[in-house]
Amino acid sequence: MERWREAYKLLADDLGARGIDVEKVKAALKKQWIETPSWGYGDSGTRFKVFKQPGAARTPFEKIADAAQVHKFTGIAPSVALHIPWDKVDDYRELKEYAESLGLKLGAINPNLFQDDDYKLGSVCHPDPAVRQKAVEHILECIEIAKTVGSQIISLWLADGTNYPGQDSFRARRHRLIEALQQAYAAMPAPMRLLIEYKFFEPAFYHTDLGDWGMALLTAQKLGERAQVLVDLGHHPLGTNIEQIVAILIDEGRLGGFHFNNKKYADDDLTVGSINPYELFLIFNELIAGELDPSVDMNVAYMIDQSHNVKPKIEAMIQSVLNVQETYAKALLIDREKLTEAQLAGDIVRAEETLLEAYRTDVRPLLAAVREEMGLHPDPLAAYRASGYYEKICAERQPTEGGSSGYPGA
Ligand code: PSV
Ligand code: MN
């Protein structure tokens, strides 16, 4: 018998003894859905250098083919986010059908409001109404694409901000932002949602127009119920309590989505769970608490936002999906009754130990069992490596002149 099967038996017994319904945990794991980003599959770099990768996807079709590999081996990454115009094609129906032929859906549509010369002073916050109009029209174009491909999410990240004190008026920019987004929101048919992402600096270094979750939330509230906040884990100052932000957004019914990644310093695009796995666990603790609370309505899109410059892209994406899965599995093992009891009794040590008991559980045999029940190989990364797909794309795809994700330097 394979080692993991024996380990699973022991673990299932142990979880049973802890009062955990293993079948319920497995059912939740089978339903997990993590979207991967098209821009994670093409060549990309920093402003210093693009290290081109053999076999990197060069077209939207190739990006989708690579995303399909991630889903094929993990079983829980059934959609891919698009970025327009990086993923612009003549026929979006054809792109959708191609994705579907590989078992994928097209997910969030991300407008690009930061790479045109006109956007030097901003997009929807720009002082010139003509530039703002251009930005709004691009969002409207993305809404049309979303309708065509059957996507229900417009995911908006703005590079808008200023570099120098006095450069522009914070409040005037805010009014322009709200006015523009109101126009876009009005064009979005239900149940399409607008996810508003925030980031505290970069590329603007003095102020960002959507600098934190408060600014994003206030903006969402000015638009309507289908405007929600997107939390990108790399977009907070060091030391920020992200799990608390998540809890409050859930409570307000405004947590719309996630961009998973990890940071050591700022928006580093490191592999999710690679630097601070316990933080990720605490975030999932809040998410599961929200899911179990009938008084809140949750519809959260879980997405990865990572562009790997030096790791092989498909492997890095599989690794990332698995890290999220493992963390979710651990958080599902939290004994919530025990936690609430300890909290109400003021038993701080017991409360914390309840979290740690789940966090310290080695869930790998459980995940292997789930994968086997889903008809997957118990070790997705090893199975991908053995599949020959990487060798195939290296042989088939000759590198492009520039990069192909559209990312800076690319
Ligand atoms: C830039 O910071 C960024 O990484 C944002 O997180 C967006 O979500 C992403 O690019 C795609 O535009
Ligand atoms: Mn992001």
Side-chain angles (χ1 to χ4, degrees), residues 39 83 86 110-111 114 157 197 199 202 230 232 235 259 261 267 269 305 407:
W39 56 97
H83 213 299
W86 298 341
N110 291 251
F114 49 87
W157 172 71
E197 183 173 348
K199 181 175 178 181
E202 200 197 26
L230 184 145
D232 181 313
H235 291 189
H259 273 177
N261 50 53
D267 192 22
D269 269 15
D305 181 10
Y407 249 117

Side-chain angles (χ1 to χ4, degrees), residues 126-137:
H126 198 287
D128 180 348
V131 176
R132 298 204 293 277
Q133 190 54 33
K134 171 175 167 162
V136 169
E137 275 162 24

